[in-house]
Amino acid sequence: MAANPYDAIVVGARCAGSPTAMLLARKGYKVLVLDRATFPSDTISTHLIHPPGIAALRRWGLLERLVATGCPAVDTYAFDFGPFTITGSPGHDDAPVAYAPRRTVLDKLLVDAASGAGAEVREGFIVDDVLVEDGRVAGIRGHGKDGKQVTERARVTIGADGLRSLVARAVKAERYNEKPRLLCGYYSYWSGLPMHGRFETYVRPDRGFAAWPTHDGLTLVIGGWPFAEFAANKQDIEGNYLKMFALAPPFADRIGVARREARVVGMAVPNFFRKPFGPGWALVGDAGYNKDFITAQGIQDAFRDSELCAAALDQTLSGCRSFDAAMGEYQSTRDEHVLPMYEFTCGLATLAPPPPELQRLLAAVHGNQGAMDGFARVNAGVTSPADFFGAENVARISAAAAG
Ligand SMILES: Cc1cc2nc3c(=O)[nH]c(=O)nc-3n(C[C@H](O)[C@H](O)[C@H](O)COP(=O)(O)OP(=O)(O)OC[C@H]3O[C@@H](n4cnc5c(N)ncnc54)[C@H](O)[C@@H]3O)c2cc1C
């Protein structure tokens, strides 16, 4: 047997793992993907994918398959601040809409795409440890359902194994830009709550909640409170979740005649970056960069990382570029792209009232359709917060409001 039967082993087969495996397999590499889960299966996520994530699915030839599952498109984002609502379009002509496919559907589609591209997918396989030889990661050790210990070797081992990544812990990947858990978010699925293609979010003091449509005529409704209230509210999460809606009476009326179809689930997550590469290993998706879910960036971030990481690995596996140079560029491109959104997301996740300056700006945005679209696109990850909240754009919006 060759020393490295695989070019790449990918641990985790959801939003980051399957696309990375698919893209490498499409380049002709021999790829093994492992996941302890079997598919289709659910995971904790409210699964809204903004237009940039949808554009990735289209580039990969997977969007038609998603649309064929009957998932409704979301073409309007509405931000209700109480005194006024900012309503805008989240995308541009090339990628105008969002979708919120159930993870049972999305992740299965991604796993099938990886396997369709030629990657070997092993479901129900737990990775117990990474294999280290001569100071570099050389593969993994793990076991399938029969419990038999298996060792697999590869030129690179990729952790796409989520927030609590075993690969990241095993290699002691450096963490930076860390922030604590800021928000507790809980969600459920409702029938009889039609959304007509709208994502709606309600911003109230120390509370925020939002609703959008998904498969099977259901609407996902998520709400949350600051992490500081975790201990006080944990005995009655459901009661606190249901109580929030009274803060927006028209929404309370609508949900009051709807029917809850699932239990309320959720969590709070820490915020951090991890160095996403080292000798023989790489990280993609939540394993390498995790942030609060209030801006729903995780899936499109995982898709973007998959493309950046697979392209960098192709450069190095094909011998065109050194591993450190190619992967260093992957890290810096990722970090530069996401840093303004990371700060914006962490700010929103505190659920603190917007400072007076921002309140004035939001009031000026309201009613100016171009600016409202711009605000919707910031939240969709289409426009960088650095551009939208930059002095030039703020002056333009303020001038339009003044006159
Ligand atoms: C409450 C909540 C709501 C969210 N809402 C949104 C949203 O609306 N939109 C959005 O874009 N993002 C959202 N996110 C974030 C999004 O879910 C994640 O960013 C996304 O799932 C990351 O994908 P991933 O592939 O990196 O990791 P994951 O989806 O966590 O997948 C990791 C996989 O690795 C496997 N794995 C882990 N360890 C091992 C092991 N040792 N052996 C074998 N397999 C292993 C797991 O079984 C799992 O299948 C939300 C997150 C939370 C917590």
Side-chain angles (χ1 to χ4, degrees):
M1 204 202 294
N4 289 317
Y6 296 100
D7 293 308
I9 292 175
V10 185
V11 184
R14 292 191 189 267
C15 301
S18 280
T20 306
M22 175 192 75
L23 294 168
L24 287 171
R26 284 181 181 176
K27 294 261 181 211
Y29 294 106
K30 193 157 188 258
V31 183
L32 172 64
V33 197
L34 307 163
D35 202 304
R36 65 150 62 91
T38 56
F39 298 93
S41 59
D42 211 351
T43 184
I44 296 275
S45 175
T46 52
H47 48 81
L48 178 67
I49 314 178
H50 299 297
I54 299 304
L57 290 174
R58 199 186 54 207
R59 277 196 298 284
W60 301 340
L62 303 179
L63 181 55
E64 275 180 19
R65 282 184 226 175
L66 174 65
V67 173
T69 66
C71 191
V74 178
D75 59 14
T76 303
Y77 285 13
F79 304 85
D80 180 320
F81 291 95
F84 57 83
T85 299
I86 290 177
T87 305
S89 152
H92 293 292
D93 288 349
D94 53 338
V97 297
Y99 289 90
R102 292 296 294 258
R103 294 290 295 261
T104 44
V105 176
L106 174 72
D107 296 1
K108 172 71 176 149
L109 190 150
L110 297 172
V111 170
D112 287 349
S115 130
E120 180 184 336
V121 180
R122 246 180 255 172
E123 301 181 22
F125 186 97
I126 297 179
V127 174
D128 297 312
D129 205 354
V130 299
L131 185 68
V132 180
E133 288 174 352
D134 301 327
R136 54 179 288 121
V137 173
I140 58 93
R141 283 194 204 88
H143 64 278
K145 286 196 171 131
D146 59 5
K148 212 174 109 204
Q149 276 293 322
V150 178
T151 299
E152 297 289 2
R153 289 188 157 74
R155 295 165 72 190
V156 64
T157 298
I158 303 164
D161 47 349
L163 172 62
R164 296 182 192 86
S165 169
L166 172 129
V167 175
R169 278 183 284 126
V171 299
K172 299 189 171 56
E174 177 204 338
R175 281 164 71 126
Y176 53 101
N177 292 345
E178 290 186 66
K179 295 184 202 286
R181 287 173 291 183
L182 299 165
L183 173 76
C184 308
Y186 301 96
Y187 65 95
S188 188
Y189 296 92
W190 297 73
S191 60
L193 182 58
M195 296 303 294
H196 307 292
R198 281 164 65 89
F199 156 97
E200 293 177 12
T201 184
Y202 296 85
V203 184
R204 297 293 184 271
D206 286 341
R207 292 293 181 274
F209 52 93
W212 53 89
T214 181
H215 282 105
D216 306 319
L218 295 177
T219 292
L220 184 148
V221 183
I222 182 165
W225 43 82
F227 188 71
E229 291 186 41
F230 173 73
N233 292 350
K234 73 175 179 191
Q235 298 307 336
D236 186 16
I237 287 169
E238 190 175 313
N240 281 292
Y241 167 84
L242 295 172
K243 207 159 69 183
M244 254 181 308
F245 307 133
L247 296 169
F251 184 79
D253 289 348
R254 282 161 61 204
I255 203 165
V257 295
R259 183 183 143 121
R260 184 155 60 84
E261 302 287 357
R263 66 196 180 94
V264 178
V265 294
M267 62 194 289
V269 299
N271 302 279
F272 60 79
F273 289 65
R274 285 191 180 116
K275 182 176 180 204
F277 69 97
W281 60 270
L283 301 174
V284 283
D286 283 5
Y289 163 51
N290 196 70
K291 63 271 139 195
D292 196 275
F293 41 82
I294 193 163
T295 49
Q297 300 294 302
I299 296 172
Q300 66 184 12
D301 282 346
F303 288 175
R304 188 211 45 251
D305 278 9
S306 305
E307 280 187 330
L308 290 173
C309 183
L313 287 173
D314 178 35
Q315 290 174 350
T316 163
L317 293 171
S318 64
C320 294
R321 207 169 172 203
S322 78
F323 182 80
D324 284 354
M327 297 302 282
E329 188 178 335
Y330 159 49
Q331 178 180 12
S332 60
T333 308
R334 177 196 71 174
D335 290 6
E336 266 169 45
H337 184 84
V338 300
L339 203 52
M341 193 59 178
Y342 181 67
E343 296 298 341
F344 180 66
T345 298
C346 291
L348 287 183
T350 64
L351 297 181
E357 202 179 310
L358 180 56
Q359 286 185 29
R360 278 195 296 277
L361 176 66
L362 293 174
V365 166
H366 173 235
N368 171 343
Q369 193 57 56
M372 294 202 292
D373 290 343
F375 185 71
R377 288 171 191 150
V378 169
N379 288 270
V382 171
T383 302
S384 171
D387 293 335
F388 186 81
F389 296 108
E392 219 174 281
N393 196 44
V394 168
R396 202 176 304 130
I397 293 169
S398 307

